[in-house]
Structure formats: structure tokens, C-alpha cells
Amino acid sequence: MKECQIEGTMAFAQRTAVEAALRDNRCNLSHAARQLRVGRTTLYRLIKRFEIEVDVVPRTPPPRSRADAVSRAPTSVRLVDGVWYLVSASGERG
């Protein structure tokens, strides 16, 4: 039996803490490492040492609407006939 499987050992406590942090943060390794106050590299080592299986779900960017794309377009400020306008790259005034 491995030391990390024996209740009351330091290894068991560490494994339990890593599993809880991963569960609390839905397997987001950066957030779990921050919660444990260790670096991501250290978290990777602990996961490997304790043979913890992590289901990493690839992140997909959210769908972007036309309005969202326009709001993220580069903008500039122009003075026209004494009035300041915020003009997006597509030429629409805001």
C-alpha cells in the first residue's frame, strides 16, 4: 500500500488537499495551485506523484456576436464641426 493511501500520513493529507482543490476549481490547474499556494509546476509534480487523474476540458472561446466584434474594434476620436466623435474602425460613430 502506498503512503498516500494510508490515512493519517502527511502524503495522505497532501493528496486529499490536492484532490479537493482540483474539485473546488473544476480542474482549473492555475486556480487550484493558487488555492494551495503553490506554483503550477509544483501542482503538476504532486498530481504525478500521487497519480491523480485530471480531466482537463479544453477551453473554447465564447461565440462572438456582431455587436461584440464592433465593440472590440479599434477606435479613434475625431473632431468634426466642433463636436468630438468616437469612431470605430468600421466607421460607425459611438
Side-chain angles (χ1 to χ4, degrees):
M1 182 177 265
K2 294 183 180 181
E3 184 181 6
C4 64
Q5 296 173 336
I6 301 172
E7 194 169 346
T9 63
M10 180 64 80
F12 181 83
Q14 287 177 330
R15 180 187 171 103
T16 304
V18 170
E19 289 174 336
L22 290 169
R23 186 176 46 254
D24 292 348
N25 293 289
R26 297 187 328 220
C27 292
N28 184 315
L29 299 178
S30 295
H31 292 173
R34 191 174 305 129
Q35 179 179 334
L36 293 167
R37 296 184 179 161
V38 298
R40 280 189 320 170
T41 303
T42 301
L43 180 59
Y44 287 123
R45 287 185 192 133
L46 290 170
I47 289 170
K48 184 176 179 180
R49 176 179 167 202
F50 298 133
E51 299 173 359
I52 298 172
E53 290 187 29
V54 179
D55 295 328
V56 178
V57 179
R59 295 189 317 182
T60 57
R64 291 180 47 171
S65 66
R66 169 78 175 124
D68 187 34
V70 169
S71 69
R72 293 176 190 253
T75 57
S76 63
V77 179
R78 296 201 180 139
L79 179 63
V80 179
D81 295 327
V83 178
W84 288 99
Y85 291 96
L86 182 64
V87 182
S88 67
S90 63
E92 299 174 3
R93 291 182 182 172

